[in-house]
Amino acid sequence: MSIIDVNTAFAAEKSAQIEAARERGRAFQARVDRGEVRLIGADRYEVLTGWDRGETFTVSRNAEGQIEQIIANHGLDERADGRIALYASSPAWHGLGQIIPGGTADIDEVLGLSGLDFEVTTVPALYEWQGQTREHRDQRHTVRTDTGAALGAVGSRYTPIQNRAGFEFIQELVGRYDVVWESAGLLRGGKRVFISIRLPETVTVDADGIDDVVVPYVAVMNDHSGNGQFQCVVTPWRPVCANTERFAVRDAVTRWAIRHTAGATSQIKEARRTLGLASQYFERFADEETALARTDIAIADFHQVIADLWPLDDDASNRKRTNHAARLGALNDVFRTESERVGRTAYAAERAITGYLDHVTPRRPPQSMTEEIARATAVLEGADDEIKSKAHRRLLQFRNR
């Protein structure tokens, strides 16, 4: 019978753990050195290559500055079994969630995999007054029928739009019942739901030059909290939760929204007319983006666009000037990265501005929300659509110089 020196065994195990951590740090630094990953903030990085291009993550370090953990910034909920509340047809979100390669057309399967397999109902809004329970007749609460978790306070006429209805709405919208679902997931404890499909069309930007291929998607975002509408977006983007990119086409209306009322999702004709599912939208998108890709701009032009988007008053405070300088520095970094890939063009400038707004610009989340969930929600709700559209229109002006 051999005698094990506990101290020696512990030291060996600890040394192995330290070496493994160092190896992760070396591998990570190698990716940075190869240009596969870049720093975008304090210990926040963005992936520049591969299937997870554009995704962001945070690293935690020990007292010696060595990387201990890489934390994906997905901002997604967890299912009852502890797994991430996400279904996807291809790897994204750092490979999280339940992935079916190539996707599935089965709504029930996606509902289960994504954690969307629950319904929402409303219950009376009750309160205590002088030892008695009273009902607020003009208000109700939305709750999940599976867990009883409260989602929000709504008016008495509010009618929940169920998660399944979101899938059926997309089927009706595109006139197909065999659509393959691209992604579906939950945010904010089930208060926010997203579903998307990939359209068969592809959009090629500057086919004779950079040959950038962008795929159009239809996405539905539903809100169960009473603080948002049922919305549908048609646009060349991919809703990858906290890592989303969306382009703006001049004067195009690509968002349709409706309040939660009885029969809301039956208004398919109105949604089709507003969203303009015809191919003309995507043709115009390709034409405008190709024009930007063939328009060279100087760094001074890029700085002028930034000044137009984020003007700085002559009497601005030192704090505002500091923030302005930090924003300019971050935008320059993103523009430099995009220029290396597609040239110093107006297209690279638009990508830089869009990427900055989606992934880098600081967000001040409510107390109940992490910064990444706040970032994801802002993108899904189109919080920066106006400034993106303004940038797009401004950059198009450089075509005719």
Side-chain angles (χ1 to χ4, degrees), residues 247-255 274-275 281 284 288 385-386 388-390 392-393 396:
F247 297 93
V249 176
R250 183 181 57 188
D251 303 326
V253 178
T254 59
R255 182 181 295 270
T274 301
L275 292 167
Y281 167 78
R284 182 168 59 171
E288 293 188 3
D385 280 2
E386 183 176 347
K388 291 176 184 177
S389 294
K390 183 177 179 180
H392 182 79
R393 293 192 298 269
L396 283 173

Side-chain angles (χ1 to χ4, degrees), residues 81-359:
D81 60 6
R83 291 193 286 178
I84 297 299
L86 168 72
Y87 150 83
S89 65
S90 60
W93 294 275
H94 307 272
L96 296 170
Q98 290 57 249
I99 300 170
I100 296 182
T104 178
D106 188 328
I107 293 178
D108 289 313
E109 187 172 17
V110 177
L111 284 169
L113 292 174
S114 63
L116 272 68
D117 53 347
F118 64 89
E119 292 194 341
V120 176
T121 189
T122 61
V123 297
L126 306 176
Y127 63 96
E128 293 290 333
W129 181 256
Q130 296 183 349
Q132 292 183 332
T133 299
R134 297 188 180 185
E135 179 181 350
H136 186 176
R137 296 188 180 277
D138 294 330
Q139 196 173 62
R140 296 179 69 81
H141 292 298
T142 51
V143 299
R144 293 178 55 156
T145 57
D146 58 340
T147 64
L151 301 175
V154 298
S156 59
R157 296 182 180 179
Y158 180 99
T159 302
I161 297 177
Q162 304 299 339
N163 295 335
R164 175 180 288 275
F167 289 87
E168 295 171 347
F169 176 85
I170 291 179
Q171 288 179 330
E172 291 281 351
L173 185 69
V174 300
R176 291 181 57 183
Y177 297 92
D178 61 345
V179 296
V180 174
W181 304 106
E182 176 69 18
S183 62
L186 293 175
L187 295 166
R188 299 172 59 189
K191 294 179 181 179
R192 297 284 293 174
V193 170
F194 65 89
I195 308 162
S196 76
I197 64 167
R198 170 177 173 164
L199 293 175
E201 299 92 345
T202 58
V203 179
T204 302
V205 177
D206 192 16
D208 298 325
I210 61 173
D211 196 29
D212 232 10
V213 177
V214 183
V215 180
Y217 287 80
V218 175
V220 156
M221 285 82 72
N222 194 11
D223 183 285
H224 294 310
S225 71
N227 294 320
Q229 297 175 304
F230 178 92
Q231 301 182 67
C232 185
V233 174
V234 178
T235 189
W237 67 310
R238 186 178 186 185
V240 190
C241 194
N243 300 279
T244 307
E245 184 171 23
R246 180 163 65 251
F247 297 93
V249 176
R250 183 181 57 188
D251 303 326
V253 178
T254 59
R255 182 181 295 270
W256 178 81
I258 194 166
R259 298 174 62 186
H260 290 70
T261 58
T265 56
S266 65
Q267 300 184 38
I268 296 296
K269 289 184 178 179
E270 179 193 344
R272 284 194 186 125
R273 177 183 59 79
T274 301
L275 292 167
L277 281 174
S279 61
Q280 287 90 336
Y281 167 78
F282 302 113
E283 291 172 1
R284 182 168 59 171
F285 169 82
D287 289 344
E288 293 188 3
E289 296 300 315
T290 296
L292 294 179
R294 295 178 179 177
T295 302
D296 294 331
I297 66 171
I299 190 67
D301 297 328
F302 180 56
H303 287 175
Q304 184 57 56
V305 173
I306 294 172
D308 293 341
L309 297 176
W310 292 280
L312 182 66
D313 296 332
D314 292 337
D315 59 349
S317 65
N318 289 336
R319 181 178 180 182
K320 287 185 177 180
R321 291 183 182 279
T322 299
N323 292 339
H324 185 82
R327 181 192 299 116
L328 181 61
L331 282 161
N332 279 336
D333 288 343
V334 185
F335 182 50
R336 188 179 304 110
T337 299
E338 292 295 340
S339 296
E340 290 173 357
R341 193 179 71 86
V342 298
R344 186 176 286 181
T345 61
Y347 182 66
E350 181 179 61
R351 297 277 311 224
I353 293 168
T354 301
Y356 169 80
L357 290 168
D358 288 349
H359 306 312

Side-chain angles (χ1 to χ4, degrees), residues 38-67:
R38 71 181 179 94
L39 180 68
I40 59 174
D43 281 335
R44 293 187 65 244
Y45 292 83
E46 179 185 6
V47 180
L48 301 176
T49 62
W51 54 261
D52 55 347
R53 181 180 183 275
E55 295 192 19
T56 62
F57 58 88
T58 303
V59 300
S60 63
R61 301 178 184 271
N62 59 23
E64 288 74 37
Q66 298 168 334
I67 295 173

